[in-house]
Amino acid sequence: MARRTVYLDYAATTPVDPEVRAAMLPFLEQESGLFGNASSVHRFGQDVRRALDRARDAVAAAIGGHSSEVYFTSGGTEADNTALLGVLLAGRERGRDHLVTTQAEHHAVLDCAHFAEKALGFAVTYIPVGPDGGVSPGAVAGAVVPGRTALVSVMHANNEIGTVHPIAEIARAVKGRDEGVALHTDAVQTLGQMPLSAEALGADLMTLSAHKIYGPKGAGALYVRKGVRFTPWLHGGMQEREKRAGTENVPALVGFGRAVELLPSWRDAEAARIADLQARFLDAVRERLPDATLNGPAPGPRRLPNNVNLAFPGVEGETLLLSLDLHGVAVSSGSACASGSIDPSHVLIALGLPLPLARSAVRFSLGRGSTADDLDHVAGVLADCVRAARV
Ligand code: PLP
């Protein structure tokens, strides 16, 4: 009998929805006549341009924005870099050279912030997070230096521990301190979990990515509210209204547009289903491994429904990940293997977890293919793997 495999790494990436795939295929082939370059003036180019426009309209509609406020990118990483560098570079021209962000952002924000600081001479304040990854709007606003801060960047939900941040309150607090500060939020992990409105969140810039919502990898968008200034940093073409040079990845962006169009047909029901599975899985694990601890907030509105991040005292998370993989279970750990040693996740360290506990953590992220039966099975396999790792 074939070995049972269970994929529980949907926060890393999702498979492509068959309808998305079908929408993309014509844009790869000669026969359809839809393989053109969207910048070409001839009919091949213009047909493709229309498809890109439709995808842009879909993305804008999904977050309550206008199509002219959506810039396509190669994914969430590029959108985050564009938000930070673009607003900082534009800010410097009017004396604003300061960025406020948190210690628990995705590396796409954090490493870019380090680059802005070390290589480009910007000032950056990294706000600490609380024991469950939360940040207080007052602390964020308190770090703003009126007249000097150009941008505040706080993710909508954390990819490792699922903490959902009160972006609307943060926006109000920040603007209350200085209206001239732009607010960026990385919503890569929330787009597929809950309805999003840039206006309701008070976000001036928002990062989105296709491959977490059953779209293709290598496609994303940065929403930039009209009137927010950002300086392009990728040069060499007039694409994206002269803000992002480079031939558009048309098949992937068309797929992104289709994935976004499909969201209303499944997102809410799926989020409710996954939340039930999240609770069931947590119960099943705790029953077998009472000393396992949940990193991040308790299940509920402050936590993504698809995220279960657990620490297993006395176990190396990376070892656990490998032994789960041998048993057909795909999960992820926040650790990064750098030069032979395993660095614990910066997010878990920011929570104040002791090093060994941070190193013991594993993230299980649920998605469309997850079933109750799979999760019961994984809880059993996990308990065996943890016990084996402890002897
Ligand atoms: N931001 C967050 C919160 C993410 O989870 C990810 C991907 O894991 C990214 C940014 C990067 O997105 P992409 O993989 O599309 O570059």
Side-chain angles (χ1 to χ4, degrees), residues 11-12 74-78 80 106 108 155 157 159 186 188-189 207 209-212 219:
S74 65
T77 303
E78 185 191 320
D80 281 343
H106 188 274
M155 69 203 314
N159 49 301
D186 176 335
V188 166
Q189 291 291 341
T207 290
S209 177
H211 73 111
K212 316 285 182 176

Side-chain angles (χ1 to χ4, degrees), residues 184-199:
H184 167 242
T185 191
D186 176 335
V188 166
Q189 291 291 341
T190 40
L191 181 61
Q193 312 287 325
M194 59 187 76
L196 281 183
S197 156
E199 195 185 333

